[in-house]
């Protein structure tokens, strides 16, 4: 019996290909002293190379998204505004800088997401991770916000929708609410957007009552959480709300807005998640995709501003995508202790009632 089992394992491992998008152009959008700088991605690449994880992944070639692709989400006036701002290195909003390399980085981030999504949908790879920047989930159709220029995932989904009739679930575990992604899909019943985020916090959106509009009513699930939310409570939230909502939706593909700024060490964050907990979330989403849609899941790098933590957490997400569970956590649990929210049970009951879960 043993050899048969061995063969089976080898066969299934061989089938489990994880792809990634990366381009040195992403390093050319940078500003010294700004938390969203190229050091983030350099730190991730170093960790993936040192742990020999990168060589196990399939590199996917990305293209710079042309205006027609960007315009599936953004107005042409805004795209032109970005192009001009990048030429003169002018800021797009108080938080979002540009420099000479920004336009190329931003269009390659969006195009990379498009290519990675296509590679997953046409089964060239089972799943994948977009190691891209600038991030995207705050970017609105006509406005840059919160370090984000183009809404990469939204563009990836829109282009995929032109080719395939698909149901898409987006789970955003970045500590910030993805106001841009919500705005793009709030009236689209074929896209479920679920966000767990700190509240009140930047950008101020993501209240529980924002549940979608028109035909998309009910397809937005916001889970605003108090500052210092930790591992125990977020696991309860994911098990009680996120998992049943995604299961009920029966997506054809999943996206993870992979923000690691909910880690307790993050300089911009206010949550107390450990790296073990963030790895648990990644693993849970990969398993959900395995169960519901033949493993089709795309992670897109979002926040995470402690570069050491970010590198470890992204490597853990890659392990999860590869079907492994040998996660690292050199930072341990939050020194703030294991606090739990006494009102969590009633809050979850309220959310479950609101979304008929
Ligand atoms: Zn964030």
């Amino acid at each position: 019996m043993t050899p048969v089992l061995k063969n089976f394992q080898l066969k299934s491992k061989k089938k489990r290909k994880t792809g990634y998008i990366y381009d040195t152009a992403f390093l050319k959008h940078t500003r010294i002293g700004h938390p969203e700088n190229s050091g983030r991605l350099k730190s991730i690449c170093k960790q993936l190379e040192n742990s020999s994880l990168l060589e196990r992944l399939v590199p996917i070639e990305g293209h710079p998204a042309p205006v027609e692709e960007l315009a599936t989400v953004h107005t042409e006036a805004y795209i032109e505004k970005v192009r001009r701002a990048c030429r003169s290195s002018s800021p797009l909003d108080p938080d979002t800088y540009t420099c000479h390399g920004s336009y190329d980085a931003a269009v390659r981030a969006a195009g990379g997401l498009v290519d990675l999504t296509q590679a997953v949908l046409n089964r060239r790879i089972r799943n994948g991770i977009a190691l891209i920047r600038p991030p995207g989930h705050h970017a609105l159709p006509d406005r840059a916000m919160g370090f984000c220029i183009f809404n990469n995932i939204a563009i990836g989904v829109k282009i995929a929708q032109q080719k395939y009739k698909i149901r898409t679930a987006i789970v955003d575990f970045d500590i910030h609410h993805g106001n841009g992604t919500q705005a793009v899909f709030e009236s689209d019943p074929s896209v479920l957007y679920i966000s767990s985020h700190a509240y009140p916090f930047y950008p101020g959106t993501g209240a529980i009552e924002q549940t979608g509009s028109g035909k998309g009513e009910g397809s937005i699930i916001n889970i605003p959480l108090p500052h210092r939310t930790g591992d125990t409570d977020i696991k309860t939230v994911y098990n009680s709300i996120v998992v049943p909502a995604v299961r009920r939706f029966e997506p054809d593909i999943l996206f993870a807005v992979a923000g690691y700024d909910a880690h307790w060490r993050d300089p911009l964050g206010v949550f107390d998640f450990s790296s073990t907990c963030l790895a648990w979330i990644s693993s849970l989403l990969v398993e959900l995709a395995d169960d519901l849609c033949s493993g089709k899941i795309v992670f897109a790098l979002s926040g995470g501003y402690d570069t050491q933590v970010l590198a470890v957490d992204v490597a853990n997400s890659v392990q999860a995508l590869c079907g492994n569970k040998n996660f690292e956590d050199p930072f341990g649990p939050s020194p703030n202790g294991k606090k739990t929210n006494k009102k969590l049970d009633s809050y979850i009951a309220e959310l479950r009632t609101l979304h008929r879960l």
Side-chain angles (χ1 to χ4, degrees):
M1 287 303 284
T2 316
V4 176
L5 188 65
K6 236 183 183 172
N7 281 342
F8 172 74
Q9 281 175 342
L10 276 175
K11 204 176 162 197
S12 63
K13 256 205 171 135
K14 202 175 161 196
K15 269 165 85 181
R16 196 179 181 99
K17 281 190 198 160
T18 295
Y20 73 98
I21 281 282
Y22 171 77
D23 197 305
T24 51
F26 302 144
L27 305 177
K28 293 188 179 137
H29 167 69
T30 196
R31 173 157 295 182
I32 295 166
H34 193 284
E36 208 294 285
N37 62 63
S38 61
R40 299 176 64 232
L41 204 46
K42 284 180 187 164
S43 178
I44 291 168
C45 290
K46 205 168 139 198
Q47 178 84 15
L48 293 177
E49 274 163 5
N50 290 348
S51 57
S52 309
L53 263 173
L54 212 53
E55 64 204 46
R56 283 194 254 155
L57 307 182
V58 181
I60 301 296
E61 202 179 328
H63 74 292
V67 171
E68 311 86 80
E69 288 183 7
L70 302 171
T72 56
V73 167
H74 298 283
T75 63
E76 295 207 9
Y78 172 68
I79 298 164
E80 186 48 36
K81 182 184 166 185
V82 173
R83 194 196 293 272
R84 269 189 275 117
C86 296
R87 235 183 260 147
S88 57
S89 301
S90 315
L92 283 160
D93 95 321
D95 299 315
T96 316
Y97 66 86
T98 72
C99 62
H100 283 300
S102 298
Y103 193 79
D104 192 40
V107 297
R108 284 181 186 277
L113 212 296
V114 169
D115 291 313
L116 189 64
T117 304
Q118 298 296 326
V120 168
L121 284 170
N122 67 28
R123 308 310 284 145
R124 186 175 155 210
I125 48 173
R126 183 176 181 86
N127 56 32
I129 186 162
L131 303 172
I132 55 176
R133 48 181 297 283
H137 74 156
H138 296 306
L140 290 158
D142 59 353
R143 197 178 146 196
M145 265 181 81
F147 319 160
C148 301
I149 297 180
F150 296 127
N151 199 313
N152 308 311
I153 286 188
I155 294 164
V157 171
K158 289 277 189 187
I159 299 295
Q161 284 177 334
Q162 292 175 348
K163 260 188 158 177
Y164 306 91
K165 197 173 181 316
I166 46 165
R167 291 170 67 74
T168 304
I170 304 170
V171 178
D172 187 333
F173 62 84
D174 189 286
I175 196 170
H176 302 97
H177 177 243
N179 59 303
T181 313
Q182 173 174 302
V184 173
F185 295 115
E186 65 186 350
S187 58
D188 183 346
S190 74
V191 179
L192 172 68
Y193 175 71
I194 308 180
S195 174
S196 56
H197 49 268
Y199 192 86
F201 202 48
Y202 185 87
T205 49
I208 189 171
E209 299 81 17
Q210 293 169 8
T211 55
S213 61
K215 283 185 182 165
E217 180 58 55
S219 65
I220 303 287
I221 301 183
N222 279 311
I223 313 171
L225 293 160
H227 291 205
R228 305 268 66 93
T229 291
D231 292 6
T232 312
D233 285 357
I234 198 66
K235 285 183 182 179
T236 307
V237 164
Y238 271 71
N239 282 327
S240 319
I241 310 287
V242 180
V243 171
V246 175
R247 280 195 184 282
R248 179 180 66 184
F249 187 73
E250 296 182 336
D252 299 300
I253 184 166
L254 237 82
F255 286 84
V257 180
Y260 303 88
D261 39 11
H263 191 278
W264 65 265
R265 255 182 53 156
D266 195 274
L268 304 188
V270 292
F271 276 173
D272 278 330
F273 296 10
S274 65
S275 291
T276 304
C277 177
L278 284 158
W280 179 87
I281 293 174
S282 290
S283 203
L284 181 79
L285 297 178
V286 170
E287 283 168 9
L288 258 182
D290 284 347
D291 251 23
L292 300 174
C293 45
S294 320
K296 293 198 279 295
I297 184 165
V298 172
F299 277 57
L301 178 65
S302 188
Y305 304 98
D306 177 314
T307 53
Q308 285 178 306
V309 170
L310 179 66
V312 167
D313 289 350
V314 170
N316 283 341
S317 290
V318 171
Q319 292 282 13
L321 284 161
C322 294
N324 301 326
K325 293 212 174 186
N326 41 337
F327 304 126
E328 285 185 32
D329 187 353
F331 316 106
S334 167
N336 295 324
K338 220 182 190 181
K339 279 186 217 138
T340 51
N341 176 1
K342 290 187 185 73
K343 293 180 191 153
L344 189 70
D345 285 349
S346 60
Y347 178 58
I348 283 177
E350 184 190 349
L351 267 165
R352 287 183 65 97
T353 306
L354 178 66
H355 292 284
R356 296 187 206 94
L357 288 166

